Amino acid sequence: MPPVIEARGLTKRFGRTTALDGLDLTAEAGRITAVLGPNGAGKTTFVRAVATLLRPDAGTLRIDGLDAVAHPARVRRIIGLAGQYAAVEEAMTGRENLVMVARLFGHDRRTARRSADAVLEQLGLTDAGGRLVRTYSGGMRRRLDLGASLVGAPRLLLLDEPTTGLDPRSRIELWEAIRALVAAGTDVLLTTQHLEEADQLAHRIVIIDQGRAIAAGTAAELKSRAGHDMVDIRLRSHADVEVAASALAHLGELETDAPTRVLRLTAVNGSEELMAATQALLNARVGVENIALRRPTLDEVFLHLTGQPTAAPTANSTETSAAPRSTA
């Protein structure tokens, strides 16, 4: 099977600003591919190009084997797009919203109702389907927005920062809905600034910065690029921070965050540093709240690769929220 998305040398400029600078990116079928990057890195510009909402200046872009520039109408028939904010009509019921979108996809009334009911069941919204959307929680609105992108049975679903503004519980509910969609056969391209989101959902992660892909792989593969494991230590008392730092200094590179009572030790040999740190703290009679050996986080990977956190602003950013969704 061809990649569901294949971009080669993709370039897009807005005046003097280059949003995509020869981007190479591949998304394989049957997977969730997450695109990470700071504000202005080119994430939304890329999604808009895949959705045929803007035309690249150079390079090639194929969606499920179709040339997105030469055949934009055919590409639109196989994609669904959900932007950063739920685009649903509050004065209509959930079911009416889905039926309306299904009709825009060209379904007759009976097929539209059947598709709407199927999507409501798929996303766990059947009981709420007859309620006005203004009574929905934020998480329910986002799931309904996903449903509006699904009633046309897209081959590929584009999600541009789908959990923006959601509380932790609603975010987890949306993650579950996305996993269910993939299990049912929908491919997903996800952009996000939530490192945990990519870690939880994505089979493959592509990190982009300044319009270029700078790293790609599974979460585990990317974490291995950030260097060694870490020993995280949280002390019981602020008064012990200096004593603990002195006791651990001989074991290797050490970071100390006194306000949070956290010390972080680079672990070249993993469990050996964990045992040595534990013994050193016992010998120094330092009270430890918890101590653990862990892999680098994706946040640390991103900082290591780009030198900035995902949410850092970029000057002259050209990115804007993607349109709610595309229809054939």
Side-chain angles (χ1 to χ4, degrees):
M1 295 179 63
V4 67
I5 301 175
E6 186 175 18
R8 291 287 178 265
L10 207 63
T11 301
K12 182 62 183 180
R13 300 180 181 88
F14 298 93
R16 296 181 179 180
T17 300
T18 301
L20 298 177
D21 189 13
L23 177 68
D24 293 330
L25 191 153
T26 300
E28 301 294 336
R31 297 182 178 183
I32 298 177
T33 299
V35 178
L36 301 183
N39 289 337
K43 303 186 303 296
T44 296
T45 299
F46 177 63
V47 168
R48 290 174 65 84
V50 173
T52 72
L53 296 175
L54 59 79
R55 185 184 182 94
D57 297 320
T60 60
L61 178 60
R62 305 187 72 83
I63 310 300
D64 200 27
L66 294 170
D67 188 318
V69 175
H71 305 290
R74 293 174 63 187
V75 169
R76 291 187 194 115
R77 294 190 184 101
I78 63 173
I79 64 173
L81 171 62
Q84 295 178 16
Y85 303 98
V88 290
E89 176 52 61
E90 294 187 350
M92 299 169 65
T93 68
R95 182 173 286 101
E96 288 169 343
N97 268 272
L98 297 184
V99 169
M100 177 184 67
V101 175
R103 293 284 285 157
L104 291 174
F105 271 99
H107 296 332
D108 59 42
R109 292 185 184 276
R110 179 177 296 179
T111 302
R113 292 193 197 98
R114 188 163 56 244
S115 297
D117 287 341
V119 168
L120 287 171
E121 182 177 359
Q122 185 177 12
L123 296 179
L125 291 172
T126 299
D127 292 342
R131 286 167 43 193
L132 294 179
V133 173
R134 69 167 61 101
T135 68
Y136 282 21
S137 68
M140 291 171 68
R141 293 184 188 207
R142 291 303 286 156
R143 279 187 282 160
L144 183 65
D145 191 49
L146 276 182
S149 299
L150 292 171
V151 289
R155 169 79 172 78
L156 170 66
L157 181 60
L158 309 176
L159 302 178
D160 191 17
E161 300 189 21
T163 58
T164 296
L166 293 186
D167 59 65
R169 180 176 179 177
S170 296
R171 182 176 296 126
I172 291 171
E173 289 176 350
L174 194 64
W175 290 351
E176 292 173 351
I178 293 170
R179 291 190 187 100
L181 297 178
V182 175
T186 300
D187 295 323
V188 173
L189 177 72
L190 167 77
T191 74
T192 183
Q193 290 188 20
H194 295 289
L195 282 299
E196 182 187 8
E197 189 160 87
D199 210 352
Q200 287 282 337
L201 290 177
H203 300 97
R204 186 169 184 268
I205 299 169
V206 180
I207 297 177
I208 68 173
D209 192 28
Q210 300 181 14
R212 296 182 179 181
I214 60 173
T218 65
E221 290 169 346
L222 291 175
K223 288 175 182 179
S224 69
R225 295 184 59 172
H228 304 298
D229 292 344
M230 310 294 291
V231 176
D232 279 353
I233 305 151
R234 183 181 294 275
L235 305 179
R236 291 177 183 167
S237 171
H238 288 94
D240 285 336
V241 171
E242 289 188 12
V243 176
S246 177
L248 298 171
H250 69 286
L251 295 179
E253 184 178 343
L254 181 69
E255 298 177 17
T256 302
D257 187 352
T260 62
R261 314 187 312 279
V262 170
L263 293 88
R264 187 167 293 116
L265 177 69
T266 299
V268 177
N269 297 309
S271 59
E272 292 183 16
E273 276 86 358
L274 176 62
M275 291 187 292
T278 302
Q279 188 60 54
L281 293 170
L282 285 172
N283 292 341
R285 298 187 178 182
V286 171
V288 175
E289 186 173 297
N290 59 64
I291 182 169
L293 178 68
R294 65 167 177 82
R295 301 295 308 279
T297 65
L298 277 181
D299 205 1
E300 289 165 339
V301 172
F302 194 91
L303 198 60
H304 173 75
L305 293 172
T306 69
Q308 59 179 314
T310 53
T314 299
N316 300 320
S317 171
T318 60
E319 294 206 80
T320 56
S321 297
R325 62 184 53 82
S326 60
T327 58

